Amino acid sequence: MTLAVLASRALSGLDAHAVRVETHLGPGLPSFNVVGLPDVEVRESRERVRAAIQNSGFEFPPGRITVNLSPADMPKESGRFDLPIALGLLLASGQLGASSGDGVPDARAPAPALADLVLAGELSLTGALVPVAAPLVIALSVAREAPGATLILPAGSAEQAAWVPGLRVLSARSLADVAAHAAGACRLPDAIPRPWPVAAPAPCLSDVRGQAGARRALEVAAAGGHSLLMIGPPGAGKSMLAARLPGLLPPLARSEALEAAALAALAGMPDALGEQPPFRAPHHSASVAALVGGGSRPRPGEISLAHRGVLFLDELPEFNRRTLEALREPLEAGRVVIARALHTAQFPARFQLVAAMNPCPCGWRGHPARACACTPDQVARYVGKISGPLLDRIDLHVSLPPSDPDWMSGPPGEPSGPVRERVADCRQRQMARQGKPNAALAGAELDEHCRMDGEARALLSQAMRRLAGSGRALHRALRVARSIADLDGEDILAARHVAQAVQYRRAGV
């Protein structure tokens, strides 16, 4: 009776939980069973493993084979368990293993070289290793939970996992290579990370001419990480302004870029890596699952793919109301939890929401040169598609006037570079003071970091009474005023900072 125990990982959201791959070889009629809540792909590994072992020059062991993927109550999916299962069979059958001292291989325990290894890889029938999905998720979890471990991955996946600092990643091309490494006959090479990609230049803010008020609101939103709603007629520049927000934000830190790339890999975009904050603009026909995430095997939605970046919802009232309401909790919590019968998956979703809409269905209400063809009931139904609680969670509301007919003859606007420098200085001030952007301040932190003079306090109190603002609206006005004051380099909120913040709450639909 022989037993081999190896380590692997199972994906659940943005986590890769530790899995013990226990392989037992005992007497009895030949059989091969995989237990521990395996999915179809894992159960099919029996045939892949059998052929891979034989085509790699080893003997497939006879007898009763039982593979247990522990813990048993955690769902296991994909073919990444092929490699540890195959290696466990070779260890359990005595074809690999540590010496017991009398020259006989001891198959009851893994070889010493495997004691701190984590293995993941799908096998082809020839014994070659096939790249696995989401290697960055596996590498980030191993580096966080087992910093002394070494990760073995197929060559294509190891290059991505090697981006994670402080983690040793070995690259393997076949089962035979891993077996030779386990036996001490040779050593697997360290994975060489792919070159860190250079971000493409972001669109420049100088392309937007005029709209000084909206440009100022965009700078305030970038400075404090605030959400923004732009209301204006067609052609006013709403989409152009939104597309230029990522170019005003500070570049992502290496850890943030890896986290964003890991989320993209879970959604089937393995090469989405860079220091520029992500920008996602789903179509208004997107479903709740597409926006928030979901599926029988939960995958991240658009709000998680926009993590650390910008989520742009153009034509906001055209989205399904149920879809929009699903944004309320992630906007507050910065994460989304997808519950299923057997498990839950959690994805981060700390994004900046930028939304745009017309003032009415036809778009021309209030336009000085175009007549609006909408009835009051049509306008009310259009605006009513956006609930009050959702509007309450958007920090800045900005009305854009129609574009100037002679805008081509006007001077270009201020480019993104100087604005980005001001935003970076403002973010540094916030991180030094409180360790987070102003949009994330809550509770007692607002009292501590949003101190006001007497005039500002009286103005805010009067404005909230007139606007019948909720406690949430009051807090959001304080956060915006804090960002405006930081742009001015002031520690105490003055009346002008509060007045501008309140004005952004008044530009309603």
Side-chain angles (χ1 to χ4, degrees), residues 356-393:
M357 61 178 290
N358 295 325
C360 66
C362 75
W364 305 114
R365 184 164 69 110
H367 195 280
R370 298 285 297 268
C372 175
C374 304
T375 66
D377 287 343
Q378 288 176 324
V379 174
R381 282 195 300 270
Y382 178 77
V383 173
K385 292 180 180 179
I386 308 171
S387 70
L390 179 59
L391 284 173
D392 211 25
R393 285 170 167 82

PDB file of all heavy atoms in Angstrom, residues 356-393:
ATOM      1  N   ALA A 356     -22.913  58.851 -18.374  1.00  0.00           N
ATOM      2  CA  ALA A 356     -23.337  59.948 -19.241  1.00  0.00           C
ATOM      3  C   ALA A 356     -24.770  59.697 -19.689  1.00  0.00           C
ATOM      4  O   ALA A 356     -25.182  58.552 -19.892  1.00  0.00           O
ATOM      5  CB  ALA A 356     -22.415  60.077 -20.455  1.00  0.00           C
ATOM      6  N   MET A 357     -25.515  60.779 -19.851  1.00  0.00           N
ATOM      7  CA  MET A 357     -26.900  60.664 -20.296  1.00  0.00           C
ATOM      8  C   MET A 357     -27.335  61.967 -20.952  1.00  0.00           C
ATOM      9  O   MET A 357     -26.725  63.032 -20.760  1.00  0.00           O
ATOM     10  CB  MET A 357     -27.826  60.343 -19.121  1.00  0.00           C
ATOM     11  CG  MET A 357     -27.827  61.399 -18.022  1.00  0.00           C
ATOM     12  SD  MET A 357     -28.966  61.013 -16.679  1.00  0.00           S
ATOM     13  CE  MET A 357     -30.535  61.262 -17.498  1.00  0.00           C
ATOM     14  N   ASN A 358     -28.391  61.865 -21.745  1.00  0.00           N
ATOM     15  CA  ASN A 358     -29.006  63.037 -22.348  1.00  0.00           C
ATOM     16  C   ASN A 358     -30.035  63.612 -21.383  1.00  0.00           C
ATOM     17  O   ASN A 358     -30.527  62.909 -20.486  1.00  0.00           O
ATOM     18  CB  ASN A 358     -29.678  62.668 -23.672  1.00  0.00           C
ATOM     19  CG  ASN A 358     -28.680  62.206 -24.713  1.00  0.00           C
ATOM     20  OD1 ASN A 358     -27.564  62.699 -24.764  1.00  0.00           O
ATOM     21  ND2 ASN A 358     -29.083  61.237 -25.524  1.00  0.00           N
ATOM     22  N   PRO A 359     -30.420  64.860 -21.548  1.00  0.00           N
ATOM     23  CA  PRO A 359     -31.441  65.432 -20.654  1.00  0.00           C
ATOM     24  C   PRO A 359     -32.853  64.900 -20.924  1.00  0.00           C
ATOM     25  O   PRO A 359     -33.738  65.078 -20.094  1.00  0.00           O
ATOM     26  CB  PRO A 359     -31.352  66.931 -20.926  1.00  0.00           C
ATOM     27  CG  PRO A 359     -30.764  67.053 -22.278  1.00  0.00           C
ATOM     28  CD  PRO A 359     -29.850  65.878 -22.450  1.00  0.00           C
ATOM     29  N   CYS A 360     -33.058  64.256 -22.094  1.00  0.00           N
ATOM     30  CA  CYS A 360     -34.371  63.714 -22.441  1.00  0.00           C
ATOM     31  C   CYS A 360     -34.163  62.652 -23.510  1.00  0.00           C
ATOM     32  O   CYS A 360     -33.050  62.498 -24.028  1.00  0.00           O
ATOM     33  CB  CYS A 360     -35.301  64.830 -22.937  1.00  0.00           C
ATOM     34  SG  CYS A 360     -34.756  65.560 -24.500  1.00  0.00           S
ATOM     35  N   PRO A 361     -35.186  61.888 -23.878  1.00  0.00           N
ATOM     36  CA  PRO A 361     -34.989  60.840 -24.888  1.00  0.00           C
ATOM     37  C   PRO A 361     -34.427  61.345 -26.211  1.00  0.00           C
ATOM     38  O   PRO A 361     -33.577  60.691 -26.814  1.00  0.00           O
ATOM     39  CB  PRO A 361     -36.388  60.248 -25.058  1.00  0.00           C
ATOM     40  CG  PRO A 361     -37.066  60.493 -23.745  1.00  0.00           C
ATOM     41  CD  PRO A 361     -36.534  61.805 -23.267  1.00  0.00           C
ATOM     42  N   CYS A 362     -34.899  62.476 -26.690  1.00  0.00           N
ATOM     43  CA  CYS A 362     -34.373  62.977 -27.964  1.00  0.00           C
ATOM     44  C   CYS A 362     -33.050  63.700 -27.788  1.00  0.00           C
ATOM     45  O   CYS A 362     -32.288  63.865 -28.749  1.00  0.00           O
ATOM     46  CB  CYS A 362     -35.390  63.900 -28.651  1.00  0.00           C
ATOM     47  SG  CYS A 362     -35.537  65.551 -27.923  1.00  0.00           S
ATOM     48  N   GLY A 363     -32.777  64.162 -26.593  1.00  0.00           N
ATOM     49  CA  GLY A 363     -31.493  64.772 -26.290  1.00  0.00           C
ATOM     50  C   GLY A 363     -31.437  66.277 -26.396  1.00  0.00           C
ATOM     51  O   GLY A 363     -30.422  66.883 -26.048  1.00  0.00           O
ATOM     52  N   TRP A 364     -32.514  66.937 -26.837  1.00  0.00           N
ATOM     53  CA  TRP A 364     -32.425  68.369 -27.141  1.00  0.00           C
ATOM     54  C   TRP A 364     -33.164  69.247 -26.146  1.00  0.00           C
ATOM     55  O   TRP A 364     -33.357  70.434 -26.398  1.00  0.00           O
ATOM     56  CB  TRP A 364     -32.952  68.631 -28.552  1.00  0.00           C
ATOM     57  CG  TRP A 364     -32.264  67.814 -29.594  1.00  0.00           C
ATOM     58  CD1 TRP A 364     -32.809  66.838 -30.357  1.00  0.00           C
ATOM     59  CD2 TRP A 364     -30.893  67.900 -29.966  1.00  0.00           C
ATOM     60  NE1 TRP A 364     -31.862  66.288 -31.195  1.00  0.00           N
ATOM     61  CE2 TRP A 364     -30.674  66.930 -30.980  1.00  0.00           C
ATOM     62  CE3 TRP A 364     -29.817  68.689 -29.539  1.00  0.00           C
ATOM     63  CZ2 TRP A 364     -29.437  66.729 -31.563  1.00  0.00           C
ATOM     64  CZ3 TRP A 364     -28.575  68.483 -30.129  1.00  0.00           C
ATOM     65  CH2 TRP A 364     -28.387  67.525 -31.131  1.00  0.00           C
ATOM     66  N   ARG A 365     -33.582  68.727 -25.019  1.00  0.00           N
ATOM     67  CA  ARG A 365     -34.280  69.562 -24.038  1.00  0.00           C
ATOM     68  C   ARG A 365     -33.344  70.659 -23.524  1.00  0.00           C
ATOM     69  O   ARG A 365     -32.226  70.390 -23.077  1.00  0.00           O
ATOM     70  CB  ARG A 365     -34.767  68.721 -22.861  1.00  0.00           C
ATOM     71  CG  ARG A 365     -35.591  69.502 -21.849  1.00  0.00           C
ATOM     72  CD  ARG A 365     -36.366  68.558 -20.949  1.00  0.00           C
ATOM     73  NE  ARG A 365     -35.509  67.806 -20.058  1.00  0.00           N
ATOM     74  CZ  ARG A 365     -35.438  67.993 -18.739  1.00  0.00           C
ATOM     75  NH1 ARG A 365     -36.190  68.903 -18.167  1.00  0.00           N
ATOM     76  NH2 ARG A 365     -34.643  67.251 -18.008  1.00  0.00           N
ATOM     77  N   GLY A 366     -33.795  71.900 -23.610  1.00  0.00           N
ATOM     78  CA  GLY A 366     -33.000  73.035 -23.182  1.00  0.00           C
ATOM     79  C   GLY A 366     -31.989  73.517 -24.188  1.00  0.00           C
ATOM     80  O   GLY A 366     -31.245  74.466 -23.902  1.00  0.00           O
ATOM     81  N   HIS A 367     -31.935  72.932 -25.375  1.00  0.00           N
ATOM     82  CA  HIS A 367     -30.959  73.354 -26.383  1.00  0.00           C
ATOM     83  C   HIS A 367     -31.413  74.686 -26.995  1.00  0.00           C
ATOM     84  O   HIS A 367     -32.592  74.858 -27.324  1.00  0.00           O
ATOM     85  CB  HIS A 367     -30.826  72.286 -27.469  1.00  0.00           C
ATOM     86  CG  HIS A 367     -29.611  72.453 -28.326  1.00  0.00           C
ATOM     87  ND1 HIS A 367     -29.538  73.359 -29.360  1.00  0.00           N
ATOM     88  CD2 HIS A 367     -28.399  71.823 -28.287  1.00  0.00           C
ATOM     89  CE1 HIS A 367     -28.346  73.279 -29.931  1.00  0.00           C
ATOM     90  NE2 HIS A 367     -27.642  72.349 -29.303  1.00  0.00           N
ATOM     91  N   PRO A 368     -30.505  75.637 -27.175  1.00  0.00           N
ATOM     92  CA  PRO A 368     -30.936  76.954 -27.683  1.00  0.00           C
ATOM     93  C   PRO A 368     -31.320  76.953 -29.156  1.00  0.00           C
ATOM     94  O   PRO A 368     -32.048  77.848 -29.604  1.00  0.00           O
ATOM     95  CB  PRO A 368     -29.705  77.841 -27.450  1.00  0.00           C
ATOM     96  CG  PRO A 368     -28.556  76.879 -27.428  1.00  0.00           C
ATOM     97  CD  PRO A 368     -29.084  75.616 -26.823  1.00  0.00           C
ATOM     98  N   ALA A 369     -30.850  75.932 -29.934  1.00  0.00           N
ATOM     99  CA  ALA A 369     -31.102  75.971 -31.373  1.00  0.00           C
ATOM    100  C   ALA A 369     -31.930  74.796 -31.876  1.00  0.00           C
ATOM    101  O   ALA A 369     -32.336  74.793 -33.031  1.00  0.00           O
ATOM    102  CB  ALA A 369     -29.765  76.003 -32.141  1.00  0.00           C
ATOM    103  N   ARG A 370     -32.161  73.792 -31.048  1.00  0.00           N
ATOM    104  CA  ARG A 370     -32.934  72.619 -31.471  1.00  0.00           C
ATOM    105  C   ARG A 370     -34.143  72.471 -30.563  1.00  0.00           C
ATOM    106  O   ARG A 370     -34.055  72.628 -29.342  1.00  0.00           O
ATOM    107  CB  ARG A 370     -32.083  71.349 -31.390  1.00  0.00           C
ATOM    108  CG  ARG A 370     -30.864  71.332 -32.300  1.00  0.00           C
ATOM    109  CD  ARG A 370     -31.246  71.095 -33.747  1.00  0.00           C
ATOM    110  NE  ARG A 370     -31.869  69.797 -33.931  1.00  0.00           N
ATOM    111  CZ  ARG A 370     -31.183  68.700 -34.252  1.00  0.00           C
ATOM    112  NH1 ARG A 370     -29.860  68.755 -34.409  1.00  0.00           N
ATOM    113  NH2 ARG A 370     -31.814  67.559 -34.427  1.00  0.00           N
ATOM    114  N   ALA A 371     -35.284  72.157 -31.155  1.00  0.00           N
ATOM    115  CA  ALA A 371     -36.509  72.005 -30.378  1.00  0.00           C
ATOM    116  C   ALA A 371     -36.614  70.577 -29.861  1.00  0.00           C
ATOM    117  O   ALA A 371     -36.307  69.613 -30.565  1.00  0.00           O
ATOM    118  CB  ALA A 371     -37.726  72.345 -31.246  1.00  0.00           C
ATOM    119  N   CYS A 372     -37.044  70.457 -28.615  1.00  0.00           N
ATOM    120  CA  CYS A 372     -37.237  69.142 -28.007  1.00  0.00           C
ATOM    121  C   CYS A 372     -38.610  68.603 -28.415  1.00  0.00           C
ATOM    122  O   CYS A 372     -39.617  69.307 -28.333  1.00  0.00           O
ATOM    123  CB  CYS A 372     -37.135  69.247 -26.490  1.00  0.00           C
ATOM    124  SG  CYS A 372     -37.508  67.708 -25.611  1.00  0.00           S
ATOM    125  N   ALA A 373     -38.630  67.329 -28.842  1.00  0.00           N
ATOM    126  CA  ALA A 373     -39.876  66.711 -29.290  1.00  0.00           C
ATOM    127  C   ALA A 373     -40.483  65.799 -28.233  1.00  0.00           C
ATOM    128  O   ALA A 373     -41.439  65.076 -28.518  1.00  0.00           O
ATOM    129  CB  ALA A 373     -39.619  65.900 -30.565  1.00  0.00           C
ATOM    130  N   CYS A 374     -39.968  65.837 -27.015  1.00  0.00           N
ATOM    131  CA  CYS A 374     -40.419  64.915 -25.969  1.00  0.00           C
ATOM    132  C   CYS A 374     -41.527  65.552 -25.141  1.00  0.00           C
ATOM    133  O   CYS A 374     -41.485  66.752 -24.828  1.00  0.00           O
ATOM    134  CB  CYS A 374     -39.258  64.526 -25.054  1.00  0.00           C
ATOM    135  SG  CYS A 374     -37.854  63.805 -25.918  1.00  0.00           S
ATOM    136  N   THR A 375     -42.496  64.759 -24.776  1.00  0.00           N
ATOM    137  CA  THR A 375     -43.540  65.226 -23.872  1.00  0.00           C
ATOM    138  C   THR A 375     -43.030  65.166 -22.432  1.00  0.00           C
ATOM    139  O   THR A 375     -42.057  64.453 -22.129  1.00  0.00           O
ATOM    140  CB  THR A 375     -44.783  64.346 -23.994  1.00  0.00           C
ATOM    141  OG1 THR A 375     -44.462  63.019 -23.527  1.00  0.00           O
ATOM    142  CG2 THR A 375     -45.258  64.285 -25.442  1.00  0.00           C
ATOM    143  N   PRO A 376     -43.650  65.903 -21.506  1.00  0.00           N
ATOM    144  CA  PRO A 376     -43.222  65.831 -20.103  1.00  0.00           C
ATOM    145  C   PRO A 376     -43.260  64.413 -19.539  1.00  0.00           C
ATOM    146  O   PRO A 376     -42.383  64.033 -18.750  1.00  0.00           O
ATOM    147  CB  PRO A 376     -44.214  66.755 -19.389  1.00  0.00           C
ATOM    148  CG  PRO A 376     -44.626  67.729 -20.435  1.00  0.00           C
ATOM    149  CD  PRO A 376     -44.650  66.961 -21.720  1.00  0.00           C
ATOM    150  N   ASP A 377     -44.266  63.620 -19.949  1.00  0.00           N
ATOM    151  CA  ASP A 377     -44.330  62.243 -19.457  1.00  0.00           C
ATOM    152  C   ASP A 377     -43.149  61.419 -19.964  1.00  0.00           C
ATOM    153  O   ASP A 377     -42.588  60.598 -19.233  1.00  0.00           O
ATOM    154  CB  ASP A 377     -45.634  61.585 -19.895  1.00  0.00           C
ATOM    155  CG  ASP A 377     -46.839  62.106 -19.116  1.00  0.00           C
ATOM    156  OD1 ASP A 377     -46.611  62.722 -18.045  1.00  0.00           O
ATOM    157  OD2 ASP A 377     -47.976  61.904 -19.577  1.00  0.00           O
ATOM    158  N   GLN A 378     -42.759  61.623 -21.216  1.00  0.00           N
ATOM    159  CA  GLN A 378     -41.621  60.895 -21.774  1.00  0.00           C
ATOM    160  C   GLN A 378     -40.337  61.271 -21.045  1.00  0.00           C
ATOM    161  O   GLN A 378     -39.501  60.406 -20.747  1.00  0.00           O
ATOM    162  CB  GLN A 378     -41.488  61.192 -23.273  1.00  0.00           C
ATOM    163  CG  GLN A 378     -42.563  60.557 -24.129  1.00  0.00           C
ATOM    164  CD  GLN A 378     -42.444  60.966 -25.580  1.00  0.00           C
ATOM    165  OE1 GLN A 378     -42.084  62.105 -25.897  1.00  0.00           O
ATOM    166  NE2 GLN A 378     -42.778  60.052 -26.487  1.00  0.00           N
ATOM    167  N   VAL A 379     -40.177  62.551 -20.756  1.00  0.00           N
ATOM    168  CA  VAL A 379     -38.986  62.990 -20.030  1.00  0.00           C
ATOM    169  C   VAL A 379     -38.969  62.390 -18.624  1.00  0.00           C
ATOM    170  O   VAL A 379     -37.931  61.913 -18.142  1.00  0.00           O
ATOM    171  CB  VAL A 379     -38.930  64.531 -19.978  1.00  0.00           C
ATOM    172  CG1 VAL A 379     -37.767  64.990 -19.108  1.00  0.00           C
ATOM    173  CG2 VAL A 379     -38.807  65.105 -21.379  1.00  0.00           C
ATOM    174  N   ALA A 380     -40.124  62.384 -17.973  1.00  0.00           N
ATOM    175  CA  ALA A 380     -40.190  61.851 -16.614  1.00  0.00           C
ATOM    176  C   ALA A 380     -39.872  60.350 -16.597  1.00  0.00           C
ATOM    177  O   ALA A 380     -39.165  59.867 -15.705  1.00  0.00           O
ATOM    178  CB  ALA A 380     -41.579  62.104 -16.023  1.00  0.00           C
ATOM    179  N   ARG A 381     -40.403  59.611 -17.581  1.00  0.00           N
ATOM    180  CA  ARG A 381     -40.111  58.175 -17.635  1.00  0.00           C
ATOM    181  C   ARG A 381     -38.624  57.926 -17.914  1.00  0.00           C
ATOM    182  O   ARG A 381     -38.022  57.017 -17.361  1.00  0.00           O
ATOM    183  CB  ARG A 381     -40.968  57.499 -18.708  1.00  0.00           C
ATOM    184  CG  ARG A 381     -42.402  57.251 -18.278  1.00  0.00           C
ATOM    185  CD  ARG A 381     -43.087  56.264 -19.211  1.00  0.00           C
ATOM    186  NE  ARG A 381     -43.122  56.744 -20.584  1.00  0.00           N
ATOM    187  CZ  ARG A 381     -44.098  57.480 -21.097  1.00  0.00           C
ATOM    188  NH1 ARG A 381     -45.125  57.826 -20.330  1.00  0.00           N
ATOM    189  NH2 ARG A 381     -44.065  57.871 -22.354  1.00  0.00           N
ATOM    190  N   TYR A 382     -38.062  58.750 -18.791  1.00  0.00           N
ATOM    191  CA  TYR A 382     -36.643  58.599 -19.145  1.00  0.00           C
ATOM    192  C   TYR A 382     -35.750  58.836 -17.929  1.00  0.00           C
ATOM    193  O   TYR A 382     -34.884  58.028 -17.605  1.00  0.00           O
ATOM    194  CB  TYR A 382     -36.314  59.581 -20.269  1.00  0.00           C
ATOM    195  CG  TYR A 382     -34.875  59.584 -20.728  1.00  0.00           C
ATOM    196  CD1 TYR A 382     -34.396  58.577 -21.562  1.00  0.00           C
ATOM    197  CD2 TYR A 382     -34.008  60.603 -20.350  1.00  0.00           C
ATOM    198  CE1 TYR A 382     -33.075  58.591 -22.007  1.00  0.00           C
ATOM    199  CE2 TYR A 382     -32.698  60.632 -20.791  1.00  0.00           C
ATOM    200  CZ  TYR A 382     -32.234  59.626 -21.614  1.00  0.00           C
ATOM    201  OH  TYR A 382     -30.932  59.647 -22.045  1.00  0.00           O
ATOM    202  N   VAL A 383     -36.001  59.947 -17.257  1.00  0.00           N
ATOM    203  CA  VAL A 383     -35.184  60.273 -16.077  1.00  0.00           C
ATOM    204  C   VAL A 383     -35.461  59.302 -14.935  1.00  0.00           C
ATOM    205  O   VAL A 383     -34.569  58.944 -14.166  1.00  0.00           O
ATOM    206  CB  VAL A 383     -35.452  61.730 -15.645  1.00  0.00           C
ATOM    207  CG1 VAL A 383     -34.743  62.036 -14.332  1.00  0.00           C
ATOM    208  CG2 VAL A 383     -34.998  62.691 -16.730  1.00  0.00           C
ATOM    209  N   GLY A 384     -36.699  58.825 -14.838  1.00  0.00           N
ATOM    210  CA  GLY A 384     -37.075  57.942 -13.744  1.00  0.00           C
ATOM    211  C   GLY A 384     -36.463  56.557 -13.820  1.00  0.00           C
ATOM    212  O   GLY A 384     -36.590  55.772 -12.877  1.00  0.00           O
ATOM    213  N   LYS A 385     -35.819  56.225 -14.935  1.00  0.00           N
ATOM    214  CA  LYS A 385     -35.155  54.931 -15.032  1.00  0.00           C
ATOM    215  C   LYS A 385     -33.960  54.830 -14.082  1.00  0.00           C
ATOM    216  O   LYS A 385     -33.488  53.736 -13.803  1.00  0.00           O
ATOM    217  CB  LYS A 385     -34.693  54.684 -16.469  1.00  0.00           C
ATOM    218  CG  LYS A 385     -35.838  54.494 -17.457  1.00  0.00           C
ATOM    219  CD  LYS A 385     -35.293  54.257 -18.861  1.00  0.00           C
ATOM    220  CE  LYS A 385     -36.421  54.069 -19.866  1.00  0.00           C
ATOM    221  NZ  LYS A 385     -35.914  53.852 -21.237  1.00  0.00           N
ATOM    222  N   ILE A 386     -33.483  55.977 -13.630  1.00  0.00           N
ATOM    223  CA  ILE A 386     -32.338  55.989 -12.703  1.00  0.00           C
ATOM    224  C   ILE A 386     -32.882  56.275 -11.314  1.00  0.00           C
ATOM    225  O   ILE A 386     -33.475  57.331 -11.064  1.00  0.00           O
ATOM    226  CB  ILE A 386     -31.309  57.070 -13.095  1.00  0.00           C
ATOM    227  CG1 ILE A 386     -30.943  56.920 -14.569  1.00  0.00           C
ATOM    228  CG2 ILE A 386     -30.067  56.967 -12.237  1.00  0.00           C
ATOM    229  CD1 ILE A 386     -30.121  58.053 -15.093  1.00  0.00           C
ATOM    230  N   SER A 387     -32.698  55.372 -10.402  1.00  0.00           N
ATOM    231  CA  SER A 387     -33.287  55.500  -9.071  1.00  0.00           C
ATOM    232  C   SER A 387     -32.558  56.553  -8.246  1.00  0.00           C
ATOM    233  O   SER A 387     -31.371  56.853  -8.463  1.00  0.00           O
ATOM    234  CB  SER A 387     -33.237  54.154  -8.345  1.00  0.00           C
ATOM    235  OG  SER A 387     -31.913  53.815  -8.013  1.00  0.00           O
ATOM    236  N   GLY A 388     -33.281  57.096  -7.282  1.00  0.00           N
ATOM    237  CA  GLY A 388     -32.680  58.064  -6.370  1.00  0.00           C
ATOM    238  C   GLY A 388     -31.507  57.502  -5.586  1.00  0.00           C
ATOM    239  O   GLY A 388     -30.471  58.181  -5.448  1.00  0.00           O
ATOM    240  N   PRO A 389     -31.601  56.278  -5.032  1.00  0.00           N
ATOM    241  CA  PRO A 389     -30.452  55.728  -4.302  1.00  0.00           C
ATOM    242  C   PRO A 389     -29.193  55.605  -5.154  1.00  0.00           C
ATOM    243  O   PRO A 389     -28.084  55.799  -4.647  1.00  0.00           O
ATOM    244  CB  PRO A 389     -30.953  54.352  -3.850  1.00  0.00           C
ATOM    245  CG  PRO A 389     -32.431  54.507  -3.740  1.00  0.00           C
ATOM    246  CD  PRO A 389     -32.807  55.445  -4.844  1.00  0.00           C
ATOM    247  N   LEU A 390     -29.336  55.274  -6.443  1.00  0.00           N
ATOM    248  CA  LEU A 390     -28.148  55.191  -7.295  1.00  0.00           C
ATOM    249  C   LEU A 390     -27.571  56.581  -7.538  1.00  0.00           C
ATOM    250  O   LEU A 390     -26.342  56.778  -7.468  1.00  0.00           O
ATOM    251  CB  LEU A 390     -28.500  54.513  -8.620  1.00  0.00           C
ATOM    252  CG  LEU A 390     -27.349  54.381  -9.623  1.00  0.00           C
ATOM    253  CD1 LEU A 390     -26.203  53.571  -9.027  1.00  0.00           C
ATOM    254  CD2 LEU A 390     -27.830  53.760 -10.924  1.00  0.00           C
ATOM    255  N   LEU A 391     -28.440  57.557  -7.836  1.00  0.00           N
ATOM    256  CA  LEU A 391     -27.959  58.930  -8.017  1.00  0.00           C
ATOM    257  C   LEU A 391     -27.275  59.445  -6.759  1.00  0.00           C
ATOM    258  O   LEU A 391     -26.291  60.193  -6.825  1.00  0.00           O
ATOM    259  CB  LEU A 391     -29.122  59.849  -8.394  1.00  0.00           C
ATOM    260  CG  LEU A 391     -29.640  59.754  -9.830  1.00  0.00           C
ATOM    261  CD1 LEU A 391     -30.883  60.601  -9.988  1.00  0.00           C
ATOM    262  CD2 LEU A 391     -28.563  60.193 -10.814  1.00  0.00           C
ATOM    263  N   ASP A 392     -27.790  59.041  -5.607  1.00  0.00           N
ATOM    264  CA  ASP A 392     -27.222  59.486  -4.344  1.00  0.00           C
ATOM    265  C   ASP A 392     -25.801  58.972  -4.146  1.00  0.00           C
ATOM    266  O   ASP A 392     -25.025  59.553  -3.386  1.00  0.00           O
ATOM    267  CB  ASP A 392     -28.109  58.999  -3.195  1.00  0.00           C
ATOM    268  CG  ASP A 392     -28.075  59.946  -2.014  1.00  0.00           C
ATOM    269  OD1 ASP A 392     -27.782  61.140  -2.215  1.00  0.00           O
ATOM    270  OD2 ASP A 392     -28.339  59.493  -0.884  1.00  0.00           O
ATOM    271  N   ARG A 393     -25.461  57.877  -4.813  1.00  0.00           N
ATOM    272  CA  ARG A 393     -24.135  57.285  -4.667  1.00  0.00           C
ATOM    273  C   ARG A 393     -23.116  57.838  -5.656  1.00  0.00           C
ATOM    274  O   ARG A 393     -21.968  57.414  -5.653  1.00  0.00           O
ATOM    275  CB  ARG A 393     -24.241  55.762  -4.827  1.00  0.00           C
ATOM    276  CG  ARG A 393     -24.844  55.069  -3.618  1.00  0.00           C
ATOM    277  CD  ARG A 393     -25.160  53.614  -3.927  1.00  0.00           C
ATOM    278  NE  ARG A 393     -25.454  52.844  -2.718  1.00  0.00           N
ATOM    279  CZ  ARG A 393     -26.611  52.804  -2.087  1.00  0.00           C
ATOM    280  NH1 ARG A 393     -27.616  53.537  -2.576  1.00  0.00           N
ATOM    281  NH2 ARG A 393     -26.794  52.082  -1.010  1.00  0.00           N
TER     282      ARG A 393
END
